[in-house]
Amino acid sequence: MNAQKRITWLDMAKGVGIVLMVAGHLIGALQTIDNKPYFSPVYQFIASFHMPLFFIVSGILLRITKEEEKDIRLILYRKAKTLLLPYASFSLMYFVINICTCIFYPDLLRFSELWKYFIYSVTFRGVSVLWFLPALFLGETLFLWCRKKTDDAGLLLLFTVTGFCICFFSPALHWEGWEANLALMAMGSLLHTLARGILACTFLLIGYQSARLLTAKEKPSPLFLLLGAAMLGADGVLCFLNGSVDLNYMVFNNFFLYMLCACLGSFGVILVCKNMYQSRLLIFYGVNSLVIMATHMEFKVMFHTIRFSYWLNQYVTRAKEWVLYLTMALMITFIEAGILYVFNHWLYFLIGKKKPENQKDKRMKKSEEEGAI
C-alpha cells in the first residue's frame, strides 16, 4: 500500500475528528442557552473518543513514516516547527484576543484572569484547545526516544504501565489548592502538561502497534466498513455507562472503560474512513485540522455564529431547529474557510508551513519533471 493512500484515509479520520470537536464544543455552548435532552448523550459519545483519535492516528503515522529511524535532533526540530511554533503563535493571538475581550466584553472575562492564562501558556498546559499541541509534542518525542532505546515489547510494557499510573495519579490534578497562588498554579500546570504527554504515549503506542494490521489490506472492504460501524455502535452504548469524560482535564471516571471506549470509537472511525469512498471535504478538514482546532472557539467564530443564528431563527416559521443547526454549520464552515485561506496563503509561517507555490511555479516544476523524464 502506498504512502499517499495511507495519508488519505488518515486525513479523513482527522477530518471526522475535527468535525466532532467543533460539534462537541458547539453543543457545550448551546447547553447553556437551550439544553435539549439529546445534547448530553451526543456530547458524551463525542468526548469518549474524539481526542484519543488524533493521538492514535499520529501513532499510526509514526509507524508508517518510520520516524524512529530518523535522527532525534531532526525529529525535535520538525516536531517543534509543526507543533510548538503554532502553539506559541496561537497562544500570543489568544492573549491579544483575551485583552480585547476584557475591554469590550468584561462580563465574559476579567483582567484578573489573564495571569492564569499566562501561566497556562508558558507551562504548556495550554489555553483552551491548545493543550493538544504540547501534549502531542511531548508524547511523540518521548515515544520516539524510547523506541530508539527498546523494542516493541519494551514499549508495550513501559507505556501500558505509565498509562495506568496516570489513571491513579490524575485525581491529584483536580486538587483545588493548585489555584491558591501563582506558584502552585504553575506547578500544577506543569504536572498537568507532563501527565497529558505521558498518557499521549499510551495512545500513540496503540496506534503504532495497530498500523501493520490496518495497512495489511489495500482495497476497501465492506466487511471492515461494517466492523468499523459496529465498533462505533458499541462505543455509543458503553460510553453512557462511563458518563462524561474529558481528556483535557484528565477526567476518566472508570479508566478501563474510558480506554475501551476511546479505542472502539477511534478505530471505528479509522476503519470506516479506510473502507469508504474518498471524501475531499473530510480530507480538507483533516489537512487543516490544526488551524480549525485553534480558531473555532477563541477567535469567537462560535460565539458570533450562535448569536447570528438565533437572531435569524426568530424569523423562521418552520423546522426552526433544523434551520438553526444548518445555519450554524454553514456559517462556521464559511468563516473557517476564510480563516484557513489567510493562514495557508499569508500566515503560513506561523503554523510551520512553507510558502505555498503559485500556479506559475507549479507549471514550471511540472515542466522540469516532464523534461527530466
Side-chain angles (χ1 to χ4, degrees):
M1 186 173 188
N2 63 58
Q4 185 59 43
K5 289 185 179 179
R6 291 170 182 165
I7 294 171
T8 297
W9 53 267
L10 287 177
D11 278 338
M12 287 174 60
K14 287 165 60 181
V16 172
I18 200 63
V19 169
L20 291 175
M21 176 189 288
V22 174
H25 289 155
L26 189 60
I27 289 172
L30 293 177
Q31 282 179 313
T32 63
I33 302 172
D34 183 17
N35 193 6
K36 302 293 183 182
Y38 49 83
F39 280 169
S40 182
V42 172
Y43 185 85
Q44 287 184 32
F45 174 67
I46 291 173
S48 70
F49 72 91
H50 79 295
M51 291 314 299
L53 171 63
F54 287 102
F55 289 115
I56 290 173
V57 167
S58 297
I60 296 170
L61 283 169
L62 291 181
R63 170 77 83 172
I64 290 174
T65 56
K66 299 180 180 179
E67 286 284 295
E68 72 274 7
E69 297 179 4
K70 300 171 184 176
D71 183 77
I72 191 65
R73 290 169 296 183
L74 177 61
I75 292 172
L76 285 171
Y77 171 76
R78 288 177 59 248
K79 299 300 179 185
K81 182 180 178 181
T82 56
L83 294 173
L84 294 189
L85 176 58
Y87 174 81
S89 301
F90 283 111
S91 293
L92 182 59
M93 292 182 216
Y94 281 12
F95 196 73
V96 173
I97 291 171
N98 285 333
I99 290 175
C100 294
T101 303
C102 290
I103 296 172
F104 297 107
Y105 300 98
D107 55 321
L108 297 179
L109 185 65
R110 298 186 301 271
F111 276 104
S112 58
E113 297 180 69
L114 292 182
W115 274 111
K116 180 173 74 173
Y117 292 142
F118 176 76
I119 289 175
Y120 281 6
S121 295
V122 298
T123 58
F124 296 99
R125 178 172 178 171
V127 176
S128 186
V129 295
L130 292 186
W131 68 269
F132 173 76
L133 298 178
L136 184 58
F137 174 81
L138 180 59
E140 286 194 343
T141 52
L142 180 59
F143 180 88
L144 291 171
W145 183 82
C146 292
R147 181 65 184 86
K148 287 178 175 292
K149 304 293 181 180
T150 185
D151 55 12
D152 284 1
L155 282 178
L156 183 62
L157 176 62
L158 174 62
F159 292 124
T160 299
V161 171
T162 56
F164 286 108
C165 285
I166 293 298
C167 159
F168 295 107
F169 173 75
S170 60
L173 299 173
H174 307 141
W175 178 48
E176 293 181 358
W178 294 122
E179 303 290 322
N181 56 60
L182 296 181
L184 282 173
M185 189 184 296
M187 185 182 300
S189 296
L190 285 171
L191 290 174
H192 211 118
T193 300
L194 182 62
R196 286 184 190 139
I198 294 173
L199 184 59
C201 289
T202 303
F203 287 119
L204 290 168
L205 173 68
I206 292 170
Y208 187 85
Q209 296 288 14
S210 66
R212 288 179 178 174
L213 288 174
L214 290 170
T215 57
K217 186 175 177 59
E218 181 177 353
K219 294 182 178 180
S221 167
L223 180 62
F224 284 107
L225 178 66
L226 291 175
L227 176 61
M231 294 174 78
L232 283 169
D235 177 36
V237 173
L238 293 174
C239 70
F240 301 125
L241 301 177
N242 198 29
S244 295
V245 295
D246 194 320
L247 185 54
N248 178 8
Y249 294 101
M250 305 293 280
V251 176
F252 309 118
N253 294 326
N254 185 310
F255 187 73
F256 295 94
L257 192 54
Y258 172 78
M259 294 298 292
L260 176 60
C261 289
C263 290
L264 284 172
S266 297
F267 285 110
V269 169
I270 291 168
L271 285 174
V272 169
C273 289
K274 185 176 185 297
N275 294 282
M276 64 178 281
Y277 69 92
Q278 289 188 10
S279 169
R280 292 186 178 181
L281 184 60
L282 286 179
I283 293 171
F284 176 77
Y285 287 154
V287 170
N288 294 284
S289 58
L290 189 154
V291 175
I292 297 173
M293 177 197 71
T295 59
H296 74 280
M297 287 182 66
E298 298 305 316
F299 277 39
K300 308 306 178 187
V301 173
M302 278 190 4
F303 176 74
H304 293 294
T305 292
I306 291 172
R307 291 185 64 178
F308 174 80
S309 298
Y310 272 99
W311 171 81
L312 182 65
N313 199 245
Q314 65 183 321
Y315 301 107
V316 177
T317 58
R318 296 183 180 181
K320 290 178 72 71
E321 280 193 25
W322 287 102
V323 173
L324 178 68
Y325 301 147
L326 180 61
T327 303
M328 291 180 181
L330 291 175
M331 189 170 176
I332 289 176
T333 299
F334 284 124
I335 294 175
E336 283 295 333
I339 293 173
L340 288 171
Y341 184 86
V342 171
F343 274 96
N344 286 331
H345 289 81
W346 297 328
L347 301 180
Y348 50 87
F349 55 92
L350 294 179
I351 55 176
K353 289 188 176 182
K354 296 180 180 179
K355 183 178 181 180
E357 294 181 339
N358 56 40
Q359 293 299 321
K360 182 179 179 180
D361 292 337
K362 289 181 179 179
R363 287 194 296 269
M364 290 179 62
K365 186 176 180 181
K366 185 177 180 180
S367 299
E368 290 175 357
E369 290 174 351
E370 291 175 350
I373 294 171

